[in-house]
């Protein structure tokens, strides 16, 4: 069973992105190979320490940052919502950071142990005509179909790279 970190934009004034993250999380919860899902949108709000801190205070920012890094460090797979309904340029800065951190973490572990098998990055982009080059090249598996996340065997994620235009 696999622990998934769910990265994606979830801030917009209409709640469109948050609903999309919730939809992806619900599909992942139906996947028999997924044991747990760390979604910063949900985890940070319900964390007993973070929830007691003043929103956007220096202590809150530090706690959220460390909490999300800990979520990345303990996950077995990274699922990325790689496009955005409210940002025409694609994903958001936080998501890009999480993918970069994940990729660097895997590279470091491979340098330390050449037998280490990198943990997969699964990209979901349902509507983007182009993907960010760095997100596309840093991925293991690409899909435009939400239901692929329900059927995907997260224990053995196949290589299926993004093919298309990048920006």
């Amino acid at each position: 069973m696999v622990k998934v970190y769910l990265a994606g934009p979830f801030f917009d004034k209409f709640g469109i992105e948050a609903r999309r993250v919730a939809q992806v999380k619900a599909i992942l919860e139906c996947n028999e190979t997924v044991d747990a899902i760390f979604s910063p949108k949900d985890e940070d709000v319900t964390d007993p320490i973070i929830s007691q801190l003043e929103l956007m205070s220096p202590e809150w920012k530090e706690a959220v940052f460390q909490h999300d890094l800990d979520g990345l460090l303990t996950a077995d797979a990274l699922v990325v919502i790689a496009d955005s309904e409210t940002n025409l340029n694609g994903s958001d800065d936080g998501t890009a950071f999480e993918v970069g951190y994940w990729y660097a973490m895997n590279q470091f572990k491979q340098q330390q142990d050449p037998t280490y098998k990198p943990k997969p990055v699964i990209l979901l982009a349902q509507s983007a005509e182009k993907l960010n080059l760095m997100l596309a090249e840093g991925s293991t598996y690409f899909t435009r179909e939400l239901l692929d996340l329900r059927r995907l065997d997260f224990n053995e994620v196949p290589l299926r790279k993004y093919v298309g235009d990048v920006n």
Side-chain angles (χ1 to χ4, degrees):
M1 297 293 280
V2 171
K3 180 178 179 184
V4 168
Y5 186 103
L6 176 56
F10 56 88
F11 295 110
D12 69 275
K13 68 180 183 179
F14 302 111
I16 295 167
E17 302 296 355
R19 285 191 296 276
R20 189 160 176 230
V21 170
Q23 182 184 35
V24 172
K25 184 177 178 186
I27 291 291
L28 289 169
E29 288 171 342
C30 295
N31 186 307
E32 294 177 0
T33 63
V34 173
D35 182 46
I37 302 160
F38 183 99
S39 174
K41 179 185 112 13
D42 300 325
E43 299 293 329
D44 293 341
V45 173
T46 59
D47 180 80
I49 295 171
I50 295 171
S51 64
Q52 299 302 311
L53 298 173
E54 181 184 341
L55 187 67
M56 296 298 173
S57 68
E59 297 81 15
W60 181 90
K61 291 175 190 177
E62 183 179 330
V64 167
F65 181 77
Q66 191 57 56
H67 190 241
D68 292 356
L69 291 182
D70 291 344
L72 284 165
L73 289 168
T74 59
D76 303 304
L78 178 63
V79 171
V80 179
I81 300 172
D83 58 352
S84 170
E85 294 295 321
T86 58
N87 176 359
L88 298 178
N89 293 322
S91 192
D92 70 337
D93 296 341
T95 302
F97 173 87
E98 290 161 333
V99 174
Y101 188 87
W102 184 270
Y103 188 83
M105 187 174 59
N106 273 311
Q107 291 293 95
F108 178 77
K109 289 180 180 179
Q110 261 192 320
Q111 289 174 354
Q112 302 300 309
D113 177 6
T115 64
Y116 173 80
K117 181 181 175 190
K119 295 177 181 182
V121 175
I122 296 94
L123 293 184
L124 170 67
Q126 295 172 287
S127 59
E129 293 178 19
K130 294 181 181 180
L131 284 186
N132 174 283
L133 169 68
M134 302 306 278
L135 294 181
E137 289 301 310
S139 70
T140 308
Y141 183 90
F142 173 79
T143 185
R144 291 194 181 278
E145 302 299 324
L146 182 59
L147 287 179
D148 282 351
L149 299 180
R150 182 175 183 189
R151 298 182 287 259
L152 184 63
D153 181 352
F154 278 85
N155 294 305
E156 294 294 328
V157 176
L159 182 63
R160 187 164 106 181
K161 299 294 273 183
Y162 169 77
V163 176
D165 292 335
V166 295
N167 56 12

